[in-house]
Amino acid sequence: MSELRADTWINSPQAAEELLPFVGQHMVAHPIAQGAQKSGGQLIGVNREKRTASLRRYDTGEITEFPWTTTRFRHTTFVKTPYAGLKVGDVRRFDWYVNEDGQPIDTPRTLVGTVDSIEHSHVSLWVRDPKFGISGGWWAHLKNQDTEKHALRPTNSDSTE
């Protein structure tokens, strides 16, 4: 199972409670002001009175305070996902456990879809289907916990399924 990057953004926090869960962890501060440089480091403090967050750089130990209201903060984690090896645009076969009427079925249908997005919890595939009129298809969302069930696998480019 591979890892996929998952960013949590805290945009111009209004209260210390929005940042407190991240104290001691790596954060990147993105000041909103034009020309201001982003800065990363360990979040070492949140000052309620001054409404600032303090980051300590790893290389120099320098501590910089960032005002909450004019800064976007980003925390990055890496989560295990079976879909990290996919790319948007990949075409894949998969098993689908819903019939054409939207009812669950025990024996799956094999469909072909194009990877539309890859999230930390699921992958979305665009399935062409002329029954859907103008839209021309629908999205299948395959959750991480259902990886084996859906059996996502490569397909030949000349497939007509």
Side-chain angles (χ1 to χ4, degrees), residues 60-73:
T60 64
E62 175 188 348
I63 297 172
T64 306
E65 286 187 341
F66 295 91
W68 301 345
T69 57
T70 59
T71 307
R72 297 175 64 215
F73 296 91

Side-chain angles (χ1 to χ4, degrees), residues 72-148:
R72 297 175 64 215
F73 296 91
R74 182 185 50 162
H75 177 256
T76 300
T77 55
F78 291 89
V79 294
K80 293 198 179 301
T81 176
Y83 302 123
L86 292 176
K87 295 184 302 291
V88 170
D90 285 351
V91 176
R92 294 290 185 264
R93 288 182 194 267
F94 64 98
D95 293 339
W96 192 245
Y97 289 82
V98 178
N99 69 16
E100 292 159 351
D101 298 323
Q103 300 300 314
I105 54 176
D106 294 326
T107 304
R109 300 184 299 150
T110 299
L111 301 175
V112 174
T114 303
V115 176
D116 183 66
S117 68
I118 305 161
E119 304 295 330
H120 67 276
S121 61
H122 68 279
V123 63
S124 296
L125 294 101
W126 177 252
V127 180
R128 288 183 177 269
D129 191 335
K131 288 181 274 187
F132 283 81
I134 294 174
S135 70
W138 50 278
W139 280 276
H141 303 287
L142 310 182
K143 297 179 182 175
N144 287 356
Q145 63 264 31
D146 296 332
T147 302
E148 290 181 29

Side-chain angles (χ1 to χ4, degrees), residues 3-103:
E3 291 186 334
L4 184 67
R5 177 185 171 141
D7 290 333
T8 300
W9 286 91
I10 301 105
N11 296 314
S12 304
Q14 300 300 307
E17 288 70 27
E18 294 179 64
L19 292 168
L20 288 175
F22 303 100
V23 171
Q25 298 182 37
H26 179 75
M27 297 287 287
V28 177
H30 296 260
I32 296 170
Q34 258 189 332
Q37 295 292 314
K38 68 181 179 181
S39 179
Q42 183 181 25
L43 179 61
I44 60 167
V46 178
N47 187 318
R48 283 185 167 93
E49 292 174 11
K50 292 170 54 177
R51 299 177 57 83
T52 60
S54 299
L55 296 181
R56 178 178 42 224
R57 288 180 52 120
Y58 298 110
D59 56 350
T60 64
E62 175 188 348
I63 297 172
T64 306
E65 286 187 341
F66 295 91
W68 301 345
T69 57
T70 59
T71 307
R72 297 175 64 215
F73 296 91
R74 182 185 50 162
H75 177 256
T76 300
T77 55
F78 291 89
V79 294
K80 293 198 179 301
T81 176
Y83 302 123
L86 292 176
K87 295 184 302 291
V88 170
D90 285 351
V91 176
R92 294 290 185 264
R93 288 182 194 267
F94 64 98
D95 293 339
W96 192 245
Y97 289 82
V98 178
N99 69 16
E100 292 159 351
D101 298 323
Q103 300 300 314

